[in-house]
Amino acid sequence: MVDKIKQLFFNKGYEDSSVKDLIHSSYQYGFKTDIVTEAFPRGITEDIVMLISGKKKEPSFVLSFRLRAYSVWVRMAYPEWACLSYAPIDYNNILCYSMPKFDKKLSSLSEVDGKILKTFEKLGVPLGEQKRLANVAVDAIFDSVSVGTTFREELLKVGVIFCPLSEAFIHYPHVVERYFGSVVPIGDNYFSALNSAVFSEGSFCYVPKGVCCPLDLSTYFRINAENSGQFERTLIVADDSSKVTYLEGCTAPKFDTNQLHAAVVELVALRNAEIRYSTVQNWYSGDAGGLGGIYNFVTKRGVCSGFGSRISWTQVETGSSLTWKYPSCLLVGDESVGEFYSVALTNNYQQADTGTKMVHVGKKTRSRIVSKGISVGNSKNTYRGQVRILPKALGSSNYSQCDSLLVGSKSQANTFPHVKVGNSHSRVEHEASTSKVEEEQLFYLSQRGIGLEEAINLLVSGFCREVFNKLPMEFAVEADRLLSLKLEGGVG
């Protein structure tokens, strides 16, 4: 079968360029570009699955993984339980793989199409060597390929591997094969099976024992092709007593048609290891009338597999026409810790069904959930969470706080918590609130010369402060600005 694949492609090649310096920012609205792309046929078939694998020159174990996933996906029923309303997705018209068109293999950044470089510069991600952001290494992914990964040599000096996943399959197969698909199985859900079959690119990170990663790691995802899907896959492994911080950003152009984003993220924290994963998600959310925008269906999960390990998720969700996303933790190791801090803002006709799952397996495990949902305009914002403490997870504890804020008279907020405690030696605390911006608050601020939109921004910023405090400083500042930008024109 591998020989059959080799005959299908490789008319043009692509090689990751070595980029030394890059500034990370992910908070600008998308815009259209006329970059010429090389694309596969549309649709999702076994031939296309094999074509993607061959194009990336993947080892046989990856191809086998893809084909198993495809066979599972075609037999699965489409999920209909989420609190979302939208037209069915036409998978026969989706472009699963797209890349900038190159006339030859790239050997340096100077050979990358100037339009691509200009696109990243407009997004606040300049790739020029004269630009430098201290203490952040970035993998920039354009459609289905990585344009460049910074500071790779510096990280390797301390044993940290940070590279595109497609390269990790080739250069570090012994590490990747052990953990790939171990946290999110192929058949976990409909979209994880889809991603497992046609995933295109993503980032891989391995932090060796006892190493505190000297740089924050970051990946910037850009969907640029119309009627396309981006199916990235991220795998982060923190070995014993190691520590790493990962930042994720994303944008897409403004198209009248919907695009699909179905990603999988897997985190593995071994004994006494710590992973901090932060996301500021700003996919195109559609226009004020609800036309266009990204369908964002993501599976993110981490496993605290060792004693005292810790995983912390912090996310700010403002984009996407639809969002279906539940970052979760499996607390397997005794005394391990899982945390989830989230802000989800919906405006106009956006719909978000987000939340988290905390599953306590080990003894004396702890989890904390802080979720803030803001609904504006005609939007619908749903929190869906699960806390489960197994019978043998003695002495475990959870604290959950789910707050919703309504702005305007047409927005909606829903909360679906699910708590199940399997023993009498654990503690669970849960609190939830739903409130709206009151006229008295706005009147109080207006008497001090503060306009309506600025007043709303102040109230929302204060509502989200606890989550923003958990973000890295540069993300926290920009996240606050992003919320203000998304609220513009949303207050009647």
Side-chain angles (χ1 to χ4, degrees):
M1 185 173 289
V2 175
D3 291 334
K4 175 184 176 182
I5 295 172
K6 290 181 179 178
Q7 298 173 4
L8 296 177
F9 40 79
F10 300 144
N11 294 325
K12 293 184 176 72
Y14 174 78
E15 198 170 78
D16 177 41
S17 52
S18 176
V19 188
K20 294 182 179 179
D21 305 286
L22 180 145
I23 289 183
H24 177 88
S25 178
S26 59
Y27 320 107
Q28 303 299 319
Y29 278 105
F31 52 88
K32 296 181 182 178
T33 61
D34 58 353
I35 295 170
V36 178
T37 58
E38 177 185 1
F40 282 11
R42 296 187 183 279
I44 300 174
T45 66
E46 187 175 86
D47 287 341
I48 289 178
V49 170
M50 292 191 296
L51 199 61
I52 294 173
S53 183
K55 185 68 174 178
K56 292 184 170 294
K57 304 180 182 180
E58 294 173 342
S60 58
F61 81 87
V62 183
L63 173 59
S64 176
F65 180 88
R66 288 182 182 274
L67 293 176
R68 291 201 314 273
Y70 177 77
S71 66
V72 170
W73 178 70
V74 295
R75 297 194 304 268
M76 295 184 76
Y78 192 84
E80 297 180 347
W81 47 263
C83 200
L84 303 171
S85 301
Y86 57 97
I89 299 171
D90 182 6
Y91 292 97
N92 292 323
N93 194 42
I94 288 179
L95 187 63
C96 293
Y97 187 92
S98 176
M99 63 177 287
K101 192 172 183 179
F102 301 110
D103 293 327
K104 61 178 180 178
K105 288 187 176 182
L106 302 178
S107 59
S108 68
L109 179 62
S110 62
E111 297 178 2
V112 176
D113 190 332
K115 293 179 180 179
I116 296 175
L117 301 181
K118 186 176 294 185
T119 296
F120 279 106
E121 288 175 2
K122 287 182 179 180
L123 292 169
V125 191
L127 299 175
E129 292 187 2
Q130 76 277 9
K131 305 293 184 181
R132 186 181 188 90
L133 178 63
N135 297 325
V136 178
V138 184
D139 186 16
I141 294 177
F142 192 97
D143 283 338
S144 301
V145 297
S146 173
V147 174
T149 308
T150 67
F151 297 111
R152 293 172 63 170
E153 294 182 1
E154 289 84 346
L155 291 170
L156 279 173
K157 290 178 182 178
V158 294
V160 175
I161 301 170
F162 182 51
C163 66
L165 186 61
S166 57
E167 290 190 18
F169 286 138
I170 297 172
H171 299 298
Y172 310 102
H174 58 290
V175 180
V176 180
E177 187 174 7
R178 178 179 179 183
Y179 296 104
F180 188 71
S182 64
V183 184
V184 180
I186 287 172
D188 184 81
N189 63 74
Y190 186 87
F191 295 106
S192 69
L194 172 62
N195 175 279
S196 298
V198 297
F199 67 89
S200 50
E201 190 57 279
S203 296
F204 170 72
C205 173
Y206 171 77
V207 185
K209 292 182 179 181
V211 173
C212 179
C213 188
L215 305 175
D216 289 349
L217 307 182
S218 178
T219 304
Y220 185 95
F221 297 101
R222 169 72 175 179
I223 299 177
N224 209 69
E226 190 170 7
N227 290 320
S228 65
Q230 190 175 66
F231 306 95
E232 83 266 7
R233 189 128 186 164
T234 300
L235 174 60
I236 299 175
V237 180
D239 215 325
D240 295 350
S241 301
S242 65
K243 185 177 181 179
V244 62
T245 297
Y246 180 90
L247 317 172
E248 178 188 70
C250 42
T251 62
K254 296 179 180 179
F255 288 123
D256 293 337
T257 55
N258 298 108
Q259 296 163 284
L260 176 63
H261 176 250
V264 169
V265 175
E266 298 180 290
L267 309 183
V268 180
L270 302 182
R271 184 180 179 86
N272 289 319
E274 180 177 351
I275 300 175
R276 294 184 61 197
Y277 192 108
S278 300
T279 301
V280 175
Q281 183 264 106
N282 187 30
W283 295 119
Y284 177 50
S285 57
D287 63 17
L291 184 64
I294 299 291
Y295 288 179
N296 186 34
F297 302 134
V298 179
T299 304
K300 293 186 173 184
R301 185 174 303 151
V303 56
C304 293
S305 61
F307 177 89
S309 55
R310 176 188 292 262
I311 291 178
S312 179
W313 301 96
T314 306
Q315 63 179 31
V316 177
E317 306 281 343
T318 66
S320 302
S321 173
L322 304 174
T323 301
W324 182 97
K325 185 178 183 182
Y326 315 98
S328 56
C329 290
L330 300 177
L331 304 174
V332 178
D334 291 346
E335 298 188 30
S336 56
V337 179
E339 297 175 319
F340 175 80
Y341 301 93
S342 173
V343 169
L345 169 68
T346 55
N347 198 353
N348 297 320
Y349 287 89
Q350 286 179 262
Q351 301 176 71
D353 195 309
T354 65
T356 186
K357 292 182 284 186
M358 295 288 175
V359 181
H360 296 249
V361 181
K363 298 176 181 178
K364 297 182 180 180
T365 51
R366 293 176 290 126
S367 64
R368 181 178 177 85
I369 299 170
V370 177
S371 175
K372 305 285 185 176
I374 305 105
S375 305
V376 188
N378 294 279
S379 67
K380 181 164 57 177
N381 205 325
T382 299
Y383 169 82
R384 190 182 304 276
Q386 181 187 85
V387 176
R388 186 180 179 189
I389 299 179
L390 299 186
K392 294 184 179 180
L394 303 175
S396 298
S397 62
N398 164 266
Y399 171 77
S400 298
Q401 177 184 340
C402 309
D403 299 326
S404 299
L405 180 65
L406 297 171
V407 182
S409 59
K410 297 180 180 180
S411 56
Q412 299 181 41
N414 305 305
T415 303
F416 300 106
H418 179 84
V419 178
K420 186 175 182 179
V421 182
N423 66 72
S424 59
H425 299 279
S426 297
R427 185 179 73 252
V428 173
E429 300 175 62
H430 184 276
E431 62 178 79
S433 68
T434 301
S435 59
K436 65 177 183 178
V437 175
E438 301 288 351
E439 292 184 3
E440 291 83 354
Q441 296 172 309
L442 299 178
F443 177 77
Y444 177 85
L445 294 171
S446 69
Q447 296 306 300
R448 282 147 182 79
I450 299 174
L452 178 61
E453 286 204 349
E454 186 180 356
I456 294 290
N457 290 338
L458 287 172
L459 293 172
V460 169
S461 179
F463 179 73
C464 301
R465 184 56 49 194
E466 184 176 358
V467 176
F468 288 167
N469 287 340
K470 297 296 180 179
L471 286 166
M473 183 177 295
E474 65 275 14
F475 260 39
V477 173
E478 296 299 335
D480 201 7
R481 293 175 183 172
L482 178 58
L483 289 190
S484 297
L485 183 66
K486 289 290 186 176
L487 284 168
E488 286 184 1
V491 182

